[in-house]
Amino acid sequence: QVQLVESGGGLVQAGGSLRLSCAASRGTFSTYNMAWFRQDVGKEREFVASISWSGGSTNYADSVKGRFTISRDNAKSMMFLQMNSLKPVDPAVYYCAASTRYRVFRTDQYGYWGQGTQVTVSS
């Protein structure tokens, strides 16, 4: 089964950018549909963006459309989240997740999770 490790989180000023990475090992990365979720303190984990196994289809939460871009490199077993124009509402622990199902957006539809990486935005 696939194992996932996120990196790239940190502290950034509002309006700035960060690029998150998710490295996959074990399992066949290219067969999984992937997603980013985030969870702020005291809130439920929420969907951010997803990408199909081929990279040909992406979906975004309304709150990040036009600012975040999800991508993947199957040859390197990596997924990315480019986050631009970060806002004070974006801080959270960001998780990458893998699913064998297509176009799913709920946490219970993803069977594999990373440990998360913290994103903090200063105003």
Side-chain angles (χ1 to χ4, degrees), residues 45-76:
R45 193 170 298 188
E46 64 175 7
F47 171 81
V48 174
S50 65
I51 187 166
S52 63
W53 64 271
S54 68
S57 177
T58 58
N59 291 276
Y60 296 91
D62 288 344
S63 59
V64 306
K65 279 181 182 176
R67 300 189 297 123
F68 291 9
T69 302
I70 189 171
S71 61
R72 66 190 295 165
D73 184 338
N74 285 343
K76 297 181 178 179

Side-chain angles (χ1 to χ4, degrees), residues 6-7 9 11 18 22 24-25 36 39 57 59-60 64 67 71 75-78 84 86 94-95 101 103 112 120-121:
E6 304 92 336
S7 61
L11 173 64
L18 277 177
C22 174
S25 61
W36 289 97
Q39 186 170 21
S57 177
N59 291 276
Y60 296 91
V64 306
R67 300 189 297 123
S71 61
K76 297 181 178 179
S77 297
M78 297 284 293
N84 298 330
L86 281 160
Y94 282 71
Y95 298 90
R101 301 170 67 176
R103 283 182 59 83
Y112 307 98
T120 304
V121 179

Side-chain angles (χ1 to χ4, degrees), residues 5-121:
V5 178
E6 304 92 336
S7 61
L11 173 64
V12 64
Q13 285 190 328
S17 298
L18 277 177
R19 189 190 194 211
L20 305 183
S21 298
C22 174
S25 61
R26 301 186 181 181
T28 306
F29 178 73
S30 61
T31 65
Y32 291 95
N33 297 294
M34 301 295 296
W36 289 97
F37 287 78
R38 67 186 181 185
Q39 186 170 21
D40 198 3
V41 175
K43 297 183 180 180
E44 293 188 354
R45 193 170 298 188
E46 64 175 7
F47 171 81
V48 174
S50 65
I51 187 166
S52 63
W53 64 271
S54 68
S57 177
T58 58
N59 291 276
Y60 296 91
D62 288 344
S63 59
V64 306
K65 279 181 182 176
R67 300 189 297 123
F68 291 9
T69 302
I70 189 171
S71 61
R72 66 190 295 165
D73 184 338
N74 285 343
K76 297 181 178 179
S77 297
M78 297 284 293
M79 180 179 65
F80 307 98
L81 185 68
Q82 178 66 43
M83 305 187 296
N84 298 330
S85 302
L86 281 160
K87 301 178 179 181
V89 296
D90 293 320
V93 177
Y94 282 71
Y95 298 90
C96 69
S99 176
T100 57
R101 301 170 67 176
Y102 178 61
R103 283 182 59 83
V104 290
F105 311 115
R106 300 199 316 262
T107 56
D108 64 344
Q109 295 169 319
Y110 286 80
Y112 307 98
W113 294 86
Q115 84 291 347
T117 185
Q118 178 72 52
V119 171
T120 304
V121 179

